Amino acid sequence: MVTQAVLLGFGLDLLLGDPAWMPHPVVLMGRAISALEKPLRRAFGPSEAGLLHAGRVLAAVLPLGTLLLTGLVCRAAQALHPALGLLVQTVWCWQALAAKGLYTESTAVQRQLEKQDLPAARRAVSRIVGRDTAALTPEGVAKAAVETVAENFSDGVIAPLLYMLLGGAPLALCYKSINTMDSMVGYKNEKYLYFGRAAAHLDDIANWLPSRLAALLWILCAGLCGQSMQGAWRIWRRDRRCHASPNSAQTESACAGALGVQLAGPAWYFGEYYNKKTIGDAHRPVEPRDIARTNRVMLAGSVLAVALGFLARTGLGC
């Protein structure tokens, strides 16, 4: 049943993305994090040690609670009727994936850049990036969109796929809860330096293997999509550690090498300047069409990952 749910869920994601009318588990996870943060801070106190303990409790409660709750729902649905069990697993597998969303949102950025409407392009890219976008140049907007598609190929597609292939929708949603925690509290700023540390470390662990699998898939699919597989391999080998996170530069470096451009570098986040390392070589400027080129590799890699996962599960008799 898991294999069927993954295939159906992936197909629904490619067809429909994330409809605005449909309640999404990640929204509920975000509300749970917000609801837990204040009482945990009060319970453990404002000291560094207290905040570290409070963050550890959050990093344990949310993923384990998500796994337990969704697992019980799937088990109950399956007990009522196999078709209902398949339906629940399929919907949650669908919602755990983000390939269509990445494609749609980044293509909207490309469209505005090609219209030479920079304010609209900045607004469009602000929907998918965490950095400040008000002062971005057209190349900066295109670069931000390319980086987002490349990085989120790992945590928006490959990681959920890997976990749902291993443990169905409950394990995929457990992963999404970890990823959501990191996106909400995993910052190295004054507010979250201690409270968010456990969430950030847990996210690093959860993404270690998927990010490297995603990079290898990107390198292979770059060649299939007419880009430089040799360049992707060379820059990945050289620059995959050029990031504060052990995982974020994995796919970005492969993407930069495949396109022959330079990504990353200094950026502003919430009004604060971060002097980040660059990734890749600036053989040419990043241009709007690079967004479409990046999306082709992202979609090819997604399809290949599903195909390989299907073969692996059927070969093991799962």
Side-chain angles (χ1 to χ4, degrees), residues 234-256:
R234 182 176 64 84
I235 297 299
W236 174 69
R237 295 270 296 171
R238 191 190 76 187
D239 292 352
R240 67 187 186 273
R241 298 184 182 91
C242 291
H243 200 283
S245 162
N247 305 315
S248 294
Q250 298 289 329
T251 45
E252 279 191 55
S253 58
C255 177

Side-chain angles (χ1 to χ4, degrees), residues 124-210:
V125 82
S126 71
R127 293 169 53 89
I128 56 174
V129 300
R131 74 192 64 184
D132 299 340
T133 61
L136 288 179
T137 64
E139 183 184 0
V141 171
K143 183 191 291 187
V146 167
E147 291 169 5
T148 296
V149 173
E151 183 177 347
N152 284 279
F153 174 61
S154 176
D155 57 19
V157 183
I158 300 305
L161 272 175
L162 176 63
Y163 288 113
M164 68 180 67
L165 285 164
L166 291 173
L171 193 58
L173 291 179
C174 177
Y175 165 77
K176 294 298 288 186
S177 73
I178 294 169
N179 198 235
T180 304
M181 273 195 306
D182 181 61
S183 68
M184 290 182 67
V185 306
Y187 296 101
K188 292 181 179 179
N189 55 24
E190 184 177 353
K191 183 177 181 180
Y192 290 117
L193 180 60
Y194 300 105
F195 183 80
R197 186 172 297 178
H201 286 171
L202 186 59
D203 186 73
D204 287 343
I205 293 168
N207 280 298
W208 193 91
L209 178 59

Side-chain angles (χ1 to χ4, degrees), residues 269-318:
Y269 292 84
F270 307 108
E272 189 171 348
Y273 180 78
Y274 288 82
N275 189 24
K276 298 164 62 178
K277 294 180 180 179
T278 57
I279 295 172
D281 296 324
H283 296 301
R284 61 176 180 82
V286 180
E287 59 187 17
R289 284 180 295 178
D290 286 322
I291 299 173
R293 295 177 182 122
T294 303
N295 274 323
R296 280 198 293 273
V297 178
M298 183 270 294
L299 291 173
S302 302
V303 172
L304 180 58
V306 171
L308 292 173
F310 173 78
L311 291 174
R313 283 190 64 88
T314 53
L316 294 171
C318 298

Side-chain angles (χ1 to χ4, degrees), residues 209-229:
L209 178 59
S211 66
R212 284 150 181 81
L213 293 174
L216 294 175
L217 283 166
W218 197 283
I219 292 165
L220 176 59
C221 290
L224 297 176
C225 293
Q227 297 174 29
S228 174
M229 185 162 55

Side-chain angles (χ1 to χ4, degrees), residues 98-143:
K100 178 64 178 293
L102 279 174
Y103 174 84
T104 301
E105 296 290 347
S106 59
T107 300
V109 177
Q110 179 181 349
R111 191 177 300 119
Q112 297 304 331
L113 286 172
E114 290 174 341
K115 289 180 182 177
Q116 298 185 343
D117 189 340
L118 182 56
R122 288 169 173 165
R123 288 194 297 272
V125 82
S126 71
R127 293 169 53 89
I128 56 174
V129 300
R131 74 192 64 184
D132 299 340
T133 61
L136 288 179
T137 64
E139 183 184 0
V141 171
K143 183 191 291 187

